[in-house]
C-alpha cells in the first residue's frame, strides 16, 4: 500500500540559524515563516525490505543521489522510528511499526531558483510517513497530530517542521534534549492574509555552504548570543504583525532579523558570505522604491544571494515591474499556500 504526499517550501520571516543539538536538529531559537503555494514536491512511500530512495527532477529525469543524501534519508528514518516507538510507549499514538521503506521523490523545484528544497522534501516525507503509519495501524488508533508530524519533519530538516502547515507557522525551539522538545504550530492559515513572494535569483551563483554545516558555525560568531536574546521579542512582533495584517510592522522586524542572521553568518569562523553585489543592489533599490512610492514590499534572504520580495495584493503589479527591470536575474513568482497534504 503506497502513500503519496505533496508539500511546498516555506520562507522564514524570523530565521532559524543554529541548533542547541545538531544531530536532532533542536533549534537554539524560535522561527516563523510563510508556506508557499508553489513549487511543490511529491513523495510516495511504501513498506519494503530495504531502504531505497529515488529522486526525479521536474523534467522527469532521475537524479543521481549522493551517498550523503541517502545517509540523510536513512538517519531520518531511524529517528522517525525511534520517535514513533517513544509515542507508542507513552500510548500517545498508533502502535503501528514503520519498517523499511521505498521513497520516491518527484520535485518541481527548479534547482536554478535558489529555493532550498529540503523544507519541502522533509515536510512531505513526514506527512507521507504519518499516512503510512495510519494506514497500517489498528483502526482504533488515533492518527498523528500535525504537531507530531512537524517533529518528524524537523528531524530531517529544521525548517521543514514549518511546511506542515498552510499560511503562517512558527517553530518553537523549546528546551532540553528530548527529540520532541521542539515542534511547529500554525500562526494563521492560508486564508488569513494573502502575500505574494516575488523571487529574484541573481544568476552569478556563488559557492555555497549548505545550511546543515552553516548551523554548526553559528555559535562561533560573537554576535550569536545577542541574536538569541533578541529573537523572542522579534518572534512576538512578527506573530502580532501577521495576526493584525500590519505590513509595516512586519517589514521592520523581518528585515531586522534578516540582516542580523547574515551578520552572524558573516562573522562566524569561517565566515559565511551568502549575499553578493546583486543582492545589495536589489535591497538598496527596494528601500529607495519604498521611500518614493510608499509600496508595501519587504525583502528577505536565506542562505544564498536570492532575494524574496514579499508584498500585498495592492503592490504586486509594481513589484513585478520592479523585478522585471533587474538585470541578470531569474524571476519566480509564488504566494501564500496550503501546508503538506496527503493525496487520495
Ligand atoms: C537560512 O532547515 O535548511 O533558510 O536542518 O540543515 O536542513 P537543515 O537546515 P534548514 O535551515 C534553514 C536556514 C534558513 C532560515 C530558515 O529557513 O529559517
Amino acid at each position: 500500500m503506497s502513500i503519496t504526499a505533496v508539500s511546498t517550501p516555506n520562507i522564514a520571516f524570523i530565521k532559524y540559524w543554529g541548533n542547541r543539538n545538531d544531530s536532532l536538529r533542536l533549534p537554539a531559537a524560535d522561527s516563523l515563516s510563510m508556506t508557499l503555494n508553489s513549487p511543490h514536491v511529491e513523495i510516495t512511500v511504501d513498506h519494503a525490505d530495504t531502504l531505497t530512495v529515488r529522486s526525479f527532477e521536474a523534467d522527469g529525469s532521475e537524479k543521481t543521489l549522493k551517498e550523503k543524501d541517502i545517509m540523510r534519508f536513512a538517519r531520518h528514518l531511524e529517528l522517525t522510528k525511534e520517535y514513533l516507538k517513544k509515542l507508542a510507549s507513552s500510548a500517545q499514538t498508533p502502535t503501528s511499526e514503520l519498517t523499511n521503506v521505498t521513497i520516491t521523490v518527484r520535485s518541481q523545484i527548479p534547482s536554478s531558483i535558489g529555493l532550498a528544497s529540503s523544507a519541502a522534501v522533509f515536510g512531505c516525507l513526514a506527512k507521507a510517513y504519518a499516512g503510512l503509519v495510519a494506514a497500517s495501524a489498528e483502526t482504533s488508533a488515533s492518527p498523528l497530530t500535525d504537531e507530531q508530524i512537524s517533529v518528524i519533519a524537523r528531524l530531517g530538516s529544521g525548517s521543514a517542521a514549518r511546511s506542515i502547515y498552510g499560511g503562517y507557522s512558527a517553530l518553537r525551539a523549546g528546551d532540553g534534549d528530548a527529540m520532541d522538545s521542539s515542534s511547529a504550530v500554525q500562526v494563521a492559515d492560508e486564508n488569513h492574509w494573502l502575500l505574494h513572494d516575488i523571487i529574484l535569483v541573481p544568476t552569478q551563483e556563488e559557492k555555497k555552504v549548505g545550511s546543515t554545516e552553516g548551523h554548526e558555525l553559528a555559535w562561533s560568531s560573537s554576535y550569536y548570543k545577542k541574536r538569541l536574546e533578541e529573537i523572542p521579542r522579534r518572534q512576538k512582533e512578527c506573530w502580532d504583525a501577521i495576526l493584525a495584517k500590519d505590513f509595516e510592522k512586519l517589514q521592520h522586524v523581518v528585515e531586522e532579523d534578516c540582516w542580523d542572521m547574515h551578520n552572524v553568518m558573516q562573522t562566524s569562523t569561517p565566515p559565511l558570505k551568502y549575499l553578493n553585489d546583486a543582492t545589495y543592489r536589489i535591497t538598496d533599490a527596494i528601500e529607495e522604491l519604498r521611500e518614493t512610492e510608499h509600496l508595501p514590499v519587504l525583502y528577505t534572504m536565506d542562505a544564498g544571494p536570492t532575494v524574496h520580495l514579499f508584498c500585498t495584493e495592492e503592490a504586486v503589479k509594481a513589484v513585478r515591474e520592479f523585478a522585471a527591470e533587474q538585470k541578470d536575474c531569474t524571476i519566480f513568482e509564488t504566494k501564500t499556500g496550503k501546508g503538506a497534504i496527503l493525496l487520495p
Side-chain angles (χ1 to χ4, degrees):
M1 152 223 356
S2 69
I3 299 285
T4 301
V6 176
S7 178
T8 50
N10 66 76
I11 300 300
F13 289 151
I14 303 298
K15 310 287 190 190
Y16 151 53
W17 197 247
N19 291 311
R20 63 174 186 277
N21 177 324
D22 284 313
S23 68
L24 291 178
R25 289 186 156 81
L26 289 167
D30 292 353
S31 58
L32 200 157
S33 63
M34 184 179 98
T35 299
L36 308 178
N37 88 328
S38 64
H40 71 263
V41 167
E42 190 183 293
I43 296 185
T44 301
V45 292
D46 203 349
H47 294 292
D49 293 335
T50 51
L51 170 69
T52 346
V53 191
R54 297 186 72 186
S55 182
F56 297 87
E57 312 256 23
D59 64 5
S61 62
E62 185 160 5
K63 220 163 106 178
T64 317
L65 290 173
K66 296 189 192 99
E67 181 64 21
K68 193 174 139 216
D69 299 324
I70 297 168
M71 290 306 291
R72 187 166 177 176
F73 283 103
R75 158 105 181 130
H76 178 245
L77 179 61
E78 287 316 309
L79 290 173
T80 303
K81 286 183 193 169
E82 205 183 307
Y83 176 54
L84 291 174
K85 275 207 187 93
K86 183 179 169 174
L87 288 178
S89 68
S90 57
Q92 285 186 57
T93 209
T95 45
S96 161
E97 293 263 316
L98 192 58
T99 51
N100 272 327
V101 285
T102 52
I103 302 172
T104 309
V105 181
R106 292 179 200 279
S107 175
Q108 295 296 323
I109 305 181
S111 51
S112 58
I113 65 168
L115 259 185
S117 58
S118 64
V121 167
F122 285 98
C124 198
L125 187 57
K127 191 79 184 176
Y129 280 160
L132 195 62
V133 168
S136 357
E138 297 149 23
T139 42
S140 60
S142 50
L144 291 167
T145 64
D146 280 349
E147 205 166 329
Q148 289 166 337
I149 299 172
S150 82
V151 170
I152 299 178
R154 198 209 75 233
L155 292 166
S157 171
S159 58
R162 302 183 309 235
S163 270
I164 298 305
Y165 303 96
Y168 303 87
S169 55
L171 175 59
R172 293 198 288 217
D175 47 44
D177 270 326
M179 67 197 312
D180 53 357
S181 57
S182 168
S183 57
V185 291
Q186 189 170 53
V187 173
D189 73 17
E190 61 275 21
N191 302 313
H192 171 69
W193 194 21
L194 173 71
L195 290 181
H196 293 262
D197 179 11
I198 315 273
I199 307 173
L200 281 173
V201 192
T203 37
Q204 75 272 32
E205 261 295 326
E206 278 177 9
K207 202 167 169 267
K208 236 178 96 173
V209 175
S211 355
T212 305
E213 295 84 57
H215 285 294
E216 293 174 20
L217 302 178
W219 297 94
S220 68
S221 162
S222 56
Y223 293 97
Y224 192 55
K225 208 171 145 266
K226 179 94 174 85
R227 171 167 177 76
L228 296 181
E229 284 163 16
E230 292 286 337
I231 286 200
R233 173 198 47 91
R234 287 191 203 137
Q235 180 85 350
K236 183 176 183 321
E237 278 179 24
C238 186
W239 195 308
D240 290 348
I242 287 164
L243 292 186
K245 301 183 200 172
D246 183 338
F247 194 87
E248 205 180 324
K249 185 171 178 170
L250 184 69
Q251 177 232 310
H252 283 291
V253 72
V254 171
E255 291 177 5
E256 176 190 334
D257 190 69
C258 168
W259 290 125
D260 184 51
M261 176 184 73
H262 283 280
N263 182 39
V264 166
M265 290 165 159
Q266 287 163 8
T267 53
S268 67
T269 312
L272 296 174
K273 301 204 166 150
Y274 287 115
L275 311 180
N276 64 21
D277 290 350
T279 317
Y280 292 109
R281 199 191 63 224
I282 296 165
T283 55
D284 281 353
I286 282 293
E287 285 177 13
E288 226 175 277
L289 186 73
R290 223 163 31 206
E291 194 108 313
T292 52
E293 315 264 327
H294 305 287
L295 271 189
V297 54
L298 66 83
Y299 57 76
T300 189
M301 292 79 74
D302 286 334
T306 295
V307 183
H308 292 264
L309 295 178
F310 282 88
C311 65
T312 59
E313 187 70 27
E314 66 171 294
V316 71
K317 197 168 160 279
V319 177
R320 251 182 225 142
E321 276 164 21
F322 168 87
E325 283 161 14
Q326 303 311 304
K327 287 188 193 73
D328 303 325
C329 281
T330 307
I331 305 167
F332 187 86
E333 199 177 321
T334 178
K335 57 188 174 190
T336 325
K338 297 190 185 88
I341 53 160
L342 284 179
L343 289 187

